[in-house]
Amino acid sequence: MSTKKYKYTKDNVYLTEVQRDFYEENGYIVFRNLVDFNLLDECTNRFLEYCDGKVNTGYYVKVIKDMSLKNTDAKGEFLINKIQDFNYDDILFKYISYKPLVDIVQSIIGPNVTAAHSMLINKPPNSEKNTSRHPLHQDLHCFPFRPAELIVASWTAMEKVDEKNGCLFVMPGSHKGTLLEHEYPPNVTNPGYRGVLGLEHIPTVNLVMEKGDTVFFHPLLFHGSGPNLTKGFRKALSVHYGANNCNFINVTPKMDKVALYHAKTKGFPEVTFNLYWKAKSRIVRGEPGNFQNLRSQL
Ligand SMILES: O=C(O)CCC(=O)C(=O)O
C-alpha cells in the first residue's frame, strides 16, 4: 500500500495509484466502457416507460419536463428532460448498485455507500439553448449532508456525448476550493439550474464520452454541460453517493424551498428537508449509518 497522504480517496484495491493520483489532483476521473450496454438499454427502456406514463412514479420519482418544450406538442422522450430519485425503482437500481461502479465509489468514499440522489438526464432535440445547457456549478450546494470528501457522483453516458449534443465540462482541480454562492444566470430559463457567475475566464475540459463511459467526480468540482444542438438525444445516468454515516446540516432557506416543494408534490407536506433526503436515499453497501436513522438529527 502506498505511503502517500491521500485526502480524496481511500486505500483500496480498485484504483491504481495513477488513477488515485489523478482523482486527488483533478477531482474527477473517467473510466472507459465501465457499464454494460444491456444494462444501459434496460435503463433507457425504463426511462421511456416513465416518459410515456406507463409506470407509477410511487412516492419519490419525479418526471420533469423540458421547460422550453412543455407548451409545445412534444411528447415522451421529446419532452421529458429528467427523471429523478428512482432509488427504489428495481430496474434503475441495477445501475445504482452495479458492482464495477460501486467498487470505484467505495474506493473514493469508503465501504459504506448510500445512494442519495439519482437522475436520468435527457436533453431532447429542439430544446432552447439556454434551457438545455447546465451552467457551471458545484453539486454540494444542493445537499444537506457532509463532509464533501465522503460524497461522489457517477455520471454514465447512455450514448455518445460530445460538444454537439451537450457533453459535461469540468474545471480540473476546482474540488480543492470551497462552496460558492449559486444563483440563476441572467438568461437561463431552467429553474432547476443555478450556477456560479463570473468564472467564465477559467478554462474547463470537455468530457467527450462513448456509451458506457463513466466519470466520477467530487461534489465541489465545478462542472456543467452544453446545450444539445443535434436532432438526436443526449441521455446520461447520474447518482450521488454518500457515506452511510455522513452528517446532516441545516441548509439555507433557498435550498429548503426547492426540496420542500418536491416533498409536497409527493404528498409529504410536513417533512423536514433532511428527513426527506434520508427517506428517499437507499443503502447500497455496508453498515447502516445516519442516512438510515430517520429519528436522528445527525
Ligand atoms: O447531465 C448534465 O447535463 C449535467 C448534470 C449535472 O451537472 C447535474 O445534474 O448536476
Side-chain angles (χ1 to χ4, degrees):
M1 207 54 83
S2 169
T3 52
K4 279 187 204 163
K5 283 256 178 279
Y6 288 102
K7 178 170 179 193
Y8 299 101
T9 56
K10 304 284 184 216
D11 290 341
N12 65 85
V13 293
Y14 300 111
L15 293 183
T16 65
E17 197 170 326
V18 171
Q19 290 168 333
R20 253 186 117 171
D21 288 347
F22 188 92
Y23 187 85
E24 292 273 332
E25 193 48 36
N26 295 287
Y28 74 96
I29 184 165
V30 177
F31 284 78
R32 299 289 172 196
N33 201 18
L34 184 73
V35 181
D36 180 69
F37 283 15
N38 290 330
L39 171 56
L40 292 178
D41 293 344
E42 212 183 333
C43 292
T44 301
N45 288 337
R46 190 64 168 167
F47 171 69
L48 297 179
E49 288 179 347
Y50 277 109
C51 290
D52 295 338
K54 291 184 180 154
V55 195
N56 184 336
T57 53
Y59 284 129
Y60 301 116
V61 180
K62 283 145 224 124
V63 179
I64 301 167
K65 294 177 185 158
D66 181 288
M67 286 302 289
S68 68
L69 298 170
K70 69 178 189 181
N71 295 322
T72 69
D73 55 10
K75 291 195 175 45
E77 65 173 333
F78 286 86
L79 173 64
I80 302 304
N81 167 229
K82 197 190 272 190
I83 58 170
Q84 190 166 298
D85 289 323
F86 45 72
N87 297 339
Y88 288 92
D89 179 304
D90 287 338
I91 293 178
L92 295 168
F93 188 69
K94 290 187 199 172
Y95 168 79
I96 295 174
S97 56
Y98 187 60
K99 185 177 181 321
L101 188 116
V102 183
D103 285 346
I104 295 165
V105 169
Q106 170 168 343
S107 309
I108 296 172
I109 66 170
N112 297 305
V113 177
T114 290
H117 190 54
S118 46
M119 297 177 288
L120 192 160
I121 309 155
N122 176 43
K123 289 182 191 267
N126 304 321
S127 170
E128 294 217 346
K129 256 199 207 170
N130 283 331
T131 309
S132 185
R133 78 185 181 94
H134 197 148
L136 206 56
H137 66 283
Q138 297 166 297
D139 289 339
L140 195 68
H141 90 279
C142 298
F143 304 146
F145 46 88
R146 302 286 185 274
E149 279 63 64
L150 296 185
I151 303 170
V152 67
S154 69
W155 190 100
T156 299
M158 301 178 82
E159 55 206 321
K160 184 180 168 83
V161 293
D162 58 19
E163 291 86 350
K164 294 193 273 308
N165 66 355
C167 65
L168 282 188
F169 51 85
V170 298
M171 194 184 281
S174 54
H175 66 303
K176 294 179 186 166
T178 54
L179 182 60
L180 300 187
E181 191 66 32
H182 284 61
E183 47 204 305
Y184 291 120
N187 49 4
V188 161
T189 45
N190 193 327
Y193 294 169
R194 284 202 182 85
V196 174
L197 310 182
L199 299 181
E200 296 73 17
H201 58 287
I202 304 177
T204 55
V205 172
N206 285 333
L207 300 182
V208 173
M209 292 163 65
E210 299 293 332
K211 180 173 178 178
D213 291 355
T214 301
V215 57
F216 296 84
F217 59 94
H218 187 278
L220 283 173
L221 185 82
F222 277 103
H223 66 286
S225 64
N228 177 11
L229 305 173
T230 71
K231 291 289 166 208
F233 297 91
R234 197 241 57 188
K235 291 190 185 61
L237 273 162
S238 181
V239 176
H240 285 91
Y241 299 91
N244 300 348
N245 241 344
C246 276
N247 58 295
F248 279 71
I249 58 161
N250 289 325
V251 292
T252 64
K254 203 158 52 177
M255 290 195 290
D256 237 354
K257 241 167 87 183
V258 176
L260 286 177
Y261 166 77
H262 282 310
K264 274 190 187 164
T265 58
K266 285 290 171 187
F268 295 124
E270 304 306 330
V271 292
T272 63
F273 186 52
N274 291 357
L275 185 58
Y276 174 65
W277 273 87
K278 286 186 183 193
K280 74 187 179 75
S281 73
R282 184 165 175 182
I283 193 166
V284 176
R285 215 174 251 192
E287 296 296 318
N290 293 331
F291 257 109
Q292 286 69 43
N293 188 347
L294 302 192
R295 290 181 194 282
S296 154
Q297 300 298 316
L298 295 173

